[in-house]
Amino acid sequence: MTMDSRLREMLDEFELRKLVNSYCRAVDRGDIAHLRSLYHQDAADDHGGFSKRSADDFLGKYEKRSGAWGFTERRIVTDWAHVNDPSTVDLSHPITRDTPKGSTGADDPSHGFFSLLGGHLER
């Protein structure tokens, strides 16, 4: 492997990490516009029922287009689930007391936290 190909691999891995981190933040904060920007226009995201397929069918797929990495397909695999009513919020536990409270708007504290990274989680 040449130095140029190793450097390209490192940069691609870095860009893929940024893509996944941006995806997680967008999902956590309900930022639908940002979430949509992470997918290529013709991408698919299958959240359907379990079916018998190869392991490759269950991998999140990426493609680099016009110099930007994006999802082309994702599939959700459920290992476990705990269903509760998200409208019921109890922040009385000692671990959450006096912590910044998140929101889906521009006032969400994570905007300030991630701005310290110089926009590395933005696409």
Side-chain angles (χ1 to χ4, degrees), residues 53-117:
R53 295 189 180 170
S54 72
D56 284 341
D57 288 338
F58 290 93
L59 299 175
K61 293 182 172 85
Y62 314 96
E63 193 173 299
K64 192 171 191 176
R65 298 180 186 174
S66 302
W69 284 98
F71 294 106
T72 58
E73 182 180 338
R74 285 190 72 251
R75 181 161 305 168
I76 302 301
V77 176
T78 303
D79 293 321
W80 60 272
H82 177 83
V83 180
N84 64 357
D85 181 358
S87 66
T88 304
V89 178
D90 179 7
L91 301 176
S92 64
H93 191 279
I95 200 167
T96 61
R97 196 172 302 129
D98 299 324
T99 60
K101 305 303 182 254
S103 75
T104 58
D107 61 336
D108 181 75
S110 71
H111 289 288
F113 299 151
F114 288 116
S115 71
L116 298 173
L117 300 175

Side-chain angles (χ1 to χ4, degrees), residues 7 10 19 21 25-26 28 34-35 38 43 50 63 72 76-77 81 84 88 97 99-100 115:
L7 180 58
M10 285 175 33
L19 175 65
N21 288 338
R25 181 176 178 275
D28 286 348
H34 186 67
L35 188 60
L38 302 175
F50 184 80
E63 193 173 299
T72 58
I76 302 301
V77 176
N84 64 357
T88 304
R97 196 172 302 129
T99 60
S115 71

